[in-house]
Amino acid sequence: MKTWSCIENCGACCKFDLDERSDLNDKLTNKDFELIKSMTSKDGWCKNLDRTNKKCMIYEDRPHFCRVKHFSVLFKDYLKNGDKFLIDCCKQHISSIYGKKSEVMKKFILEIQ
Ligand code: SF4
Ligand code: SF4
């Protein structure tokens, strides 16, 4: 089985549209939602993402819902399918931000081989 790994200079999951994430309703508190709203720019990108290199500027102190392995245990799909679930999530994010055939996608695919 392939092992999930985050790649540098991606940040594709750092763009939020809570209207499209009803799956988070039972996983986040009101405080979490308030934090997400305060972190999100008008264009949907997290204010903590350095847009020039796509790196998190508060990586060591990022919220619990940004800690993929930690947060993923709240998802039934992760408990059932393990890293495949995480890999599919990353592919969806990367595809929507950079495109299916983007260099970022190629880098991600290589990383998880
Ligand atoms: S989409 Fe995946 S690879 Fe890209 S920053 Fe998020 S967790 Fe990392
Ligand atoms: S806090 Fe960091 S990891 Fe979390 S969404 Fe913002 S830039 Fe991404």
Side-chain angles (χ1 to χ4, degrees):
M1 187 193 280
K2 291 178 179 173
T3 304
W4 171 83
S5 181
C6 182
I7 54 169
E8 286 197 347
N9 314 112
C10 172
C13 57
C14 301
K15 191 173 185 192
F16 312 109
D17 185 350
L18 286 176
D19 290 341
E20 295 177 359
R21 296 301 309 270
S22 58
D23 60 313
L24 297 178
N25 288 346
D26 62 345
K27 298 173 185 70
L28 295 175
T29 64
N30 287 341
K31 204 174 165 188
D32 292 330
F33 281 115
E34 287 308 311
L35 179 58
I36 289 176
K37 284 174 192 164
S38 73
M39 286 165 46
T40 309
S41 303
K42 281 184 180 168
D43 62 3
W45 285 99
C46 178
K47 294 173 186 172
N48 297 312
L49 187 74
D50 183 329
R51 306 273 190 114
T52 59
N53 59 18
K54 301 290 195 295
K55 284 190 173 186
C56 177
M57 296 186 286
I58 60 160
Y59 188 77
E60 294 302 325
D61 300 313
R62 67 198 187 286
H64 74 96
F65 47 79
C66 295
R67 297 170 188 262
V68 176
K69 279 284 185 175
H70 160 86
F71 192 51
S72 60
V73 297
L74 299 178
F75 291 78
K76 283 182 191 161
D77 276 355
Y78 176 72
L79 300 177
K80 187 176 169 197
N81 299 312
D83 278 16
K84 182 181 181 308
F85 169 68
L86 300 181
I87 289 168
D88 288 346
C89 288
C90 283
K91 282 182 177 174
Q92 278 180 22
H93 287 302
I94 294 169
S95 184
S96 72
I97 299 294
Y98 299 109
K100 277 184 187 170
K101 295 181 178 174
S102 62
E103 290 304 312
V104 178
M105 183 67 89
K106 287 177 195 163
K107 187 177 167 186
F108 181 69
I109 301 288
L110 272 177
E111 182 71 23
I112 58 169
Q113 291 307 316

